Amino acid sequence: MGELQAMIELSHVSLKYDRQTSALEDVNLSVDEGEFVFIVGPSGAGKSSIIKLLLREKVASSGIVMVDGVNVGRLKQRQIPQYRRKLGVVFQDFRLIPNMTVYENVAFSLRVTDTSNKVIRNRVPYILNLMGLEKKAKRFPHEISGGEQQRVALARALVNDPPIIIADEPTGNIDPELSYEIVELLEGINACGTTVLMVTHEHEMVHHFGGRIVTIEQGTIARDEVIEKGGARQ
Amino acid sequence: MKASSLRYLLKEGLRNMWRNRVMSFTSIGVLTTCLLIVGAAFLLTVNVNSMVKYVEGQSEMCVYMKEGLSEEELSQAEAAIKAVPNVKEVTFISKEEGLENTKESFGDEGYLLEGYEGEDNPIPDSFVVKVDEIEKTRDTQSALQQIEGVDIVNASGEVADTLSYVQNTVITLGTIIIIALAIISLVIISNTIRATIFTRRKEINIMKFVGATNSFIRVPFIVEGFALGLLSALFSFLIIWGGYSYLVGAFSTDVSYWLQSAFDSVVPFRQVALPLGGFFLGTGVILGVMGSLISIRNHVKV
Ligand SMILES: Nc1ncnc2c1ncn2[C@@H]1O[C@H](COP(=O)(O)OP(=O)(O)O)[C@@H](O)[C@H]1O
Ligand SMILES: [Mg+2]
């Protein structure tokens, strides 16, 4: 048995969008398998930039990004789709495919991996049930509420059983009561062993749930702490 | 890729065509129009060529010989005529045959020529010459004129000139139209599809983040382009078939004699159906697929 490897490991990572401004500056972050981590910080701090690096939408200007043993910056173009299937992603703006039904949106995640129709027919209803969406399967995204759309996005992220779930402000566009519901769903997923990384700027919610909280300010990690459920620092 | 995935992507392409039906309709309209114009240019060219061939087949030159030539001089002249370039067929018409022909052409007034047989026959020996290419008529005519024993060469030079001018103009114009339209339609098609892609760029982006490969994203678009091309080819073929048959029908019922004779040289549709259909199919599908590929080229990379 070797030493336990971190699920996500950023070492000395910097990211420049253009020559003058650095979105991230010497960021070091390690997330173990099965952890639930909140990433918080003001708007423009660089939270989404971290997500972009993990998704390989951007490549770090310097430093190394490792995810589940993969050096993300070194991936060849044709390896990227395969890599992205390891990550279940949820965005603030849901990013559902507008002309596909709820069912098809969720099934799409499986179709890209060449999953057989038989498996799709079993797996998709199961996940939709889990998210309380069984009655919405035939609806289109514009026919359901924001909270429901985000649950569809979550279902799509989960259906492949990825080792990591990444959520960038998943509650940013939905009602506060429903926001807590989404985070509870993520906690449930995390309880089954999935690593979860959730970006948010809603401090109140973070303090309500507690756990490991990484604060980003001006492109650097300002604090990395564990807060008790209910708000007190441990 | 599994068969079930391929089936899914195929269906997805066709479904997208329906989902973006306004754009699909526009693309089909543009492509069909282009194919129709090219098809019409093609049919016009084919028919002008056929008409020229027909007139060429009909047009003859008459080589009248001088009086009092010997049998040997006549056969030498015949050999010389046959040796002239562009001469296809030579038929000898003796004085006697010539007189008979003339009498016949006089019809009821043929009796006027009674009594001119034998010594008094005013019609000279002649050769009827058919040529290969009508546009060389004038050169051929002057070459024939040089031959020993030839008196006069009759040929309808103006008809030949006009005809070859029309033919060349139609072929040149047809070629220009076809090339220009191929380019124009490619630009329009790719722009039309680019417009749909623009609205679908977000969708493509989402697919990329879910882990779709480039080919997984491309296949439905290719299917869509293929289907658009196929439908356009089908519509163009049906329209041009109907239109052409209607025109030919209108021609054939026209009473005037010269139109009737021109009708003899009209190419029947079934004779051009295969090349035209093949051309529509090939061009439609190639333009459709190329249009799709050009328009997604810039958007697939994320
Ligand atoms: N595509 C981009 N091009 C240039 N600058 C960008 C781009 N995306 C983000 N930035 C800049 O990088 C910084 C961090 O942005 P981001 O990571 O989106 O912040 P957050 O998600 O914390 O609000 C900001 O200053 C932002 O303006
Ligand atoms: Mg952000």
Side-chain angles (χ1 to χ4, degrees):
Chain A
M1 284 282 162
E3 183 189 339
L4 208 79
Q5 204 181 13
M7 197 55 143
I8 298 171
E9 178 103 55
L10 275 64
S11 355
H12 304 292
V13 168
S14 299
L15 175 64
K16 288 188 169 80
Y17 285 103
D18 46 56
R19 242 175 253 152
Q20 299 91 353
T21 50
S22 268
L24 295 172
E25 189 75 61
D26 195 32
V27 169
N28 293 287
L29 176 67
S30 177
V31 177
D32 286 329
E33 185 176 355
E35 265 196 286
F36 189 119
V37 178
F38 280 116
I39 297 181
V40 299
S43 174
K47 305 181 299 293
S48 296
S49 297
I50 291 180
I51 305 294
K52 283 179 189 165
L53 290 174
L54 295 176
L55 287 177
R56 184 54 147 81
E57 191 181 339
K58 288 277 178 291
V59 177
S61 315
S62 64
I64 297 171
V65 177
M66 295 289 290
V67 175
D68 197 14
V70 174
N71 186 336
V72 179
R74 288 278 176 82
L75 285 171
K76 296 200 179 75
Q77 201 64 37
R78 61 179 169 75
Q79 296 173 311
I80 294 174
Q82 199 76 29
Y83 164 72
R84 284 183 179 153
R85 293 171 198 166
K86 278 182 199 265
L87 312 171
V89 208
V90 180
F91 295 98
Q92 180 171 3
D93 55 356
F94 321 135
R95 301 202 190 173
L96 299 174
I97 297 172
N99 50 31
M100 283 188 191
T101 60
V102 165
Y103 181 97
E104 274 307 322
N105 263 289
V106 176
F108 190 81
S109 252
L110 293 170
R111 300 215 190 266
V112 299
T113 61
D114 238 349
T115 311
S116 73
N117 280 327
K118 199 178 146 199
V119 173
I120 291 175
R121 275 196 295 270
N122 278 318
R123 183 82 184 147
V124 175
Y126 168 76
I127 293 287
L128 287 178
N129 248 326
L130 215 63
M131 295 288 127
L133 288 165
E134 63 277 6
K135 294 215 176 77
K136 311 285 178 181
K138 291 200 173 112
R139 302 282 188 85
F140 285 91
H142 69 268
E143 298 171 334
I144 58 179
S145 75
E148 285 164 342
Q149 286 187 55
Q150 197 56 298
R151 275 186 284 151
V152 176
L154 203 49
R156 179 180 63 188
L158 286 176
V159 74
N160 268 335
D161 230 342
I164 304 169
I165 293 281
I166 292 172
D168 191 354
E169 312 221 16
T171 59
N173 271 338
I174 54 185
D175 299 338
E177 320 88 71
L178 296 173
S179 296
Y180 283 74
E181 197 179 292
I182 294 286
V183 181
E184 276 156 14
L185 281 169
L186 285 170
E187 280 197 319
I189 295 156
N190 174 248
C192 302
T194 308
T195 310
V196 177
L197 204 65
M198 175 173 158
V199 169
T200 180
H201 62 259
E202 293 168 59
H203 285 273
E204 209 176 302
M205 185 169 67
V206 171
H207 284 92
H208 171 84
F209 286 98
R212 184 174 170 196
I213 295 161
V214 175
T215 309
I216 311 264
E217 273 163 15
Q218 293 179 342
T220 56
I221 293 184
R223 282 184 300 283
D224 187 344
E225 60 204 336
V226 177
I227 292 177
E228 215 176 282
K229 206 171 164 77
R233 281 189 190 163
Q234 276 177 343
Chain B
M1 206 176 275
K2 274 192 201 158
S4 66
S5 298
L6 211 59
R7 222 176 15 248
Y8 168 75
L9 293 177
L10 217 82
K11 258 198 246 165
E12 204 51 27
L14 297 179
R15 217 179 287 154
N16 282 340
M17 202 165 76
W18 176 247
R19 284 172 189 150
N20 305 292
R21 48 191 169 277
V22 176
M23 276 305 176
S24 303
F25 198 75
T26 316
S27 299
I28 290 176
V30 170
L31 195 44
T32 303
T33 310
C34 289
L35 288 178
L36 280 177
I37 297 174
V38 173
F42 171 74
L43 284 177
L44 186 65
T45 310
V46 164
N47 274 298
V48 167
N49 274 336
S50 149
M51 205 178 291
V52 169
K53 278 263 147 44
Y54 173 80
V55 175
E56 272 172 0
Q58 301 288 302
S59 71
E60 300 165 337
M61 276 188 242
C62 233
V63 181
Y64 294 103
M65 305 307 288
K66 288 176 180 149
E67 289 292 339
L69 294 179
S70 70
E71 217 31 61
E72 203 189 321
E73 283 170 318
L74 276 176
S75 49
Q76 267 171 7
E78 181 167 9
I81 291 170
K82 278 182 176 156
V84 169
N86 195 34
V87 167
K88 187 170 73 178
E89 217 179 290
V90 181
T91 319
F92 177 66
I93 313 279
S94 66
K95 291 173 74 80
E96 293 72 30
E97 283 173 283
L99 187 65
E100 278 309 306
N101 291 347
T102 314
K103 268 191 197 165
E104 259 170 49
S105 71
F106 275 33
D108 285 346
E109 280 81 44
Y111 68 89
L112 290 172
L113 290 170
E114 300 275 331
Y116 283 102
E117 290 90 352
E119 287 296 298
D120 296 328
N121 186 350
I123 308 289
D125 287 322
S126 66
F127 293 96
V128 173
V129 172
K130 285 190 176 171
V131 295
D132 280 320
E133 287 165 90
I134 199 162
E135 64 254 42
K136 292 184 184 148
T137 297
R138 287 195 187 276
D139 289 342
T140 311
Q141 187 178 8
S142 52
L144 291 171
Q145 197 72 65
Q146 305 298 312
I147 292 168
E148 184 79 44
V150 169
D151 189 12
I152 301 166
V153 181
N154 269 354
S156 51
E158 281 114 60
V159 172
D161 287 349
T162 314
L163 215 57
S164 62
Y165 174 75
V166 168
Q167 186 180 23
N168 288 334
T169 312
V170 166
I171 288 174
T172 313
L173 275 180
T175 311
I176 292 172
I177 289 174
I178 287 170
I179 292 173
L181 274 172
I183 295 168
I184 290 171
S185 55
L186 195 63
V187 169
I188 296 178
I189 298 268
S190 65
N191 274 329
T192 313
I193 300 182
R194 206 194 304 263
T196 68
I197 302 268
F198 192 76
T199 60
R200 280 151 86 177
R201 195 171 56 173
K202 252 175 124 180
E203 187 181 323
I204 292 177
N205 252 314
I206 296 168
M207 291 175 172
K208 300 288 292 191
F209 284 119
V210 177
T213 55
N214 283 345
S215 58
F216 200 88
I217 292 171
R218 265 193 214 118
V219 170
F221 281 102
I222 294 172
V223 170
E224 200 176 337
F226 188 93
L228 290 177
L230 202 71
L231 281 176
S232 307
L234 188 71
F235 288 146
S236 313
F237 189 77
L238 292 178
I239 292 170
I240 214 157
W241 186 3
Y244 190 73
S245 304
Y246 172 80
L247 279 180
V248 169
F251 247 127
S252 65
T253 51
D254 196 295
V255 283
S256 80
Y257 172 76
W258 80 268
L259 272 181
Q260 196 68 53
S261 80
F263 175 70
D264 289 343
S265 64
V266 166
V267 179
F269 190 75
R270 67 189 136 71
Q271 207 170 309
V272 289
L274 201 65
L276 198 64
F279 169 79
F280 280 176
L281 205 68
T283 313
V285 165
I286 287 170
L287 288 180
V289 171
M290 267 173 68
S292 289
L293 289 179
I294 289 173
S295 51
I296 52 173
R297 195 188 43 192
N298 301 323
H299 297 291
V300 174
K301 275 199 188 138
V302 174

